[in-house]
Amino acid sequence: MKTRSFGRDPHQVSLLGFGAQRIVDEHDCTEDEAVAIIRRAVEAGVNYFDTAPSYSDGQSETRVGLGLKGLRDKVWIATKTGGRTRDLALKDLEGSLKRLQTDYVNEWRMHNIMQPHDLEAIFAKGGALEAMLEAKEQGLIKKISISGHTDPRLLAEAIRRYPFDSALVALSALDHFIYSFAHDFVPQAVEKGVAVIGMKVMGLGKLAPWTVQALRYTWSLPVTTSILGVSKMEELEADLAAANAFVPMTDIERVELFREIMPLVRPDVLRWKAREWMSGEWYQLPELPFLKQQDK
């Protein structure tokens, strides 16, 4: 399995990251199947696992903990908090550590910074950043992270205000065309040494007819890893094969892919860039006062 360094940290993580959102009953994956899939991934060289307490009310974290039992020193575990305050975030972390059966996580991230008030809340007095700094000092977490699906300007501002270790952002080929993290966030992140983790690579399955091209597009960006969700062993095996065969995409190949997928650039497909998840209307970029201040 190919590996890349984790931003400013030379630690090597696998090109293929394991997205654990779908190893749950909700996606017709049993506990036994989940454990087998996880252990097969580690055996094949996958060492990056992403989960969250909000994924099926903690079932994802529980299954990651079960699957990685006895393998903790071989893997990098990232989990999240949706809490915007110190107290809510620390409560999330306490539950996550119990379900994951570990006394620390490698990476803890603020989940889905979508609106200006999310950004302001985490940096406010008593905000989630305070929880992260406390948890790091106590050895409960190693790296401080942030994530966003929708508005790259908010994450660009976040890494301007604080030297986050990593950022999880939407980087599918479809995301290239609107509110593009590849254009408006990744260059700043790379310049600052922030590890970039790609998500939404398969566009909620809409890019399935172009699976190999979709994976090559995202992996050809300056990302540390990209997380792919799986619920079946055959899905994992296909992802492993693609990762092991990866070669960077050429400009011509990229243009050909864009030409074919352009009709899918719609808010009902890119739901994470919709006003609301099922609205079918594009997210409207809010006015950001800090951008005006930077322009002065």
Side-chain angles (χ1 to χ4, degrees):
M1 174 64 63
K2 298 176 176 68
T3 62
R4 292 178 178 175
S5 59
F6 189 83
R8 295 181 289 268
D9 191 321
H11 178 81
Q12 298 290 302
V13 297
S14 53
L15 182 66
L16 173 61
F18 192 103
Q21 186 173 10
R22 294 172 56 199
I23 53 164
V24 294
D25 292 346
E26 185 179 346
H27 288 277
D28 298 320
C29 183
T30 68
E31 183 175 288
D32 287 346
E33 288 173 326
V35 170
I37 291 168
I38 289 169
R39 299 187 83 81
R40 167 60 183 146
V42 176
E43 176 189 33
V46 175
N47 66 2
Y48 189 93
F49 289 79
D50 173 271
T51 184
S54 59
Y55 296 163
S56 296
D57 294 324
Q59 189 178 69
S60 170
E61 287 184 323
T62 297
R63 291 185 174 178
V64 169
L66 289 170
L68 294 177
K69 199 165 186 177
L71 301 172
R72 183 66 184 91
D73 62 340
K74 297 180 181 293
V75 297
W76 182 284
I77 299 177
T79 193
K80 310 178 183 75
T81 176
R84 301 302 187 228
T85 67
R86 170 192 175 275
D87 292 347
L88 287 175
L90 288 175
K91 184 178 179 182
D92 274 351
L93 181 60
E94 181 182 8
S96 292
L97 293 174
K98 288 179 180 177
R99 288 185 291 271
L100 289 166
Q101 301 184 47
T102 185
D103 55 4
Y104 75 97
V105 291
N106 301 85
E107 195 179 355
W108 192 31
R109 55 175 136 258
M110 301 173 197
H111 199 176
N112 192 20
I113 303 302
M114 183 176 181
Q115 296 289 349
H117 61 76
D118 294 313
L119 183 69
E120 299 307 329
I122 62 175
F123 283 104
K125 182 175 175 57
L129 183 58
E130 290 186 9
M132 296 205 157
L133 294 172
E134 289 180 29
K136 186 173 182 180
E137 185 175 350
Q138 294 168 16
L140 301 176
I141 69 171
K142 303 299 182 184
K143 303 290 184 182
I144 295 177
S145 182
I146 193 165
S147 77
H149 306 65
T150 310
D151 190 340
R153 304 172 306 162
L154 295 175
L155 267 69
E157 174 66 9
I159 65 172
R160 188 185 70 82
R161 295 187 189 185
Y162 179 80
F164 286 92
D165 295 296
S166 68
L168 172 67
V169 295
L171 284 174
S172 77
L174 294 170
D175 285 286
H176 180 94
F177 297 101
I178 184 164
Y179 310 151
S180 173
F181 283 92
H183 295 157
D184 299 327
F185 174 75
V186 170
Q188 298 95 311
V190 171
E191 182 180 354
K192 293 177 179 291
V194 178
V196 177
I197 299 99
M199 65 172 166
K200 295 291 183 284
V201 178
M202 297 306 301
L204 298 179
K206 296 296 185 181
L207 291 177
W210 302 273
T211 295
V212 173
Q213 298 100 308
L215 295 174
R216 288 181 63 208
Y217 166 83
T218 304
W219 284 331
S220 296
L221 297 171
V223 296
T224 290
T225 184
S226 293
I227 57 172
L228 296 175
V230 299
S231 58
K232 302 298 178 189
M233 188 68 79
E234 55 266 31
E235 295 170 348
L236 172 64
E237 295 294 349
D239 293 342
L240 289 170
N244 289 326
F246 168 69
V247 291
M249 183 172 260
T250 67
D251 288 345
I252 291 173
E253 289 173 321
R254 189 178 296 111
V255 169
E256 289 175 347
L257 174 62
F258 289 164
R259 179 177 56 81
E260 293 180 23
I261 68 174
M262 190 67 185
L264 292 174
V265 183
R266 309 189 310 264
D268 60 313
V269 174
L270 280 80
R271 296 179 186 178
W272 56 97
K273 286 182 175 172
R275 180 174 55 82
E276 294 176 355
W277 186 254
M278 297 297 292
S279 70
E281 299 173 8
W282 288 116
Y283 171 87
Q284 297 298 309
L285 292 176
E287 186 174 289
L288 301 178
F290 54 76
L291 289 183
K292 291 183 178 180
Q293 294 170 5
Q294 291 175 28
D295 291 338
K296 290 181 179 179

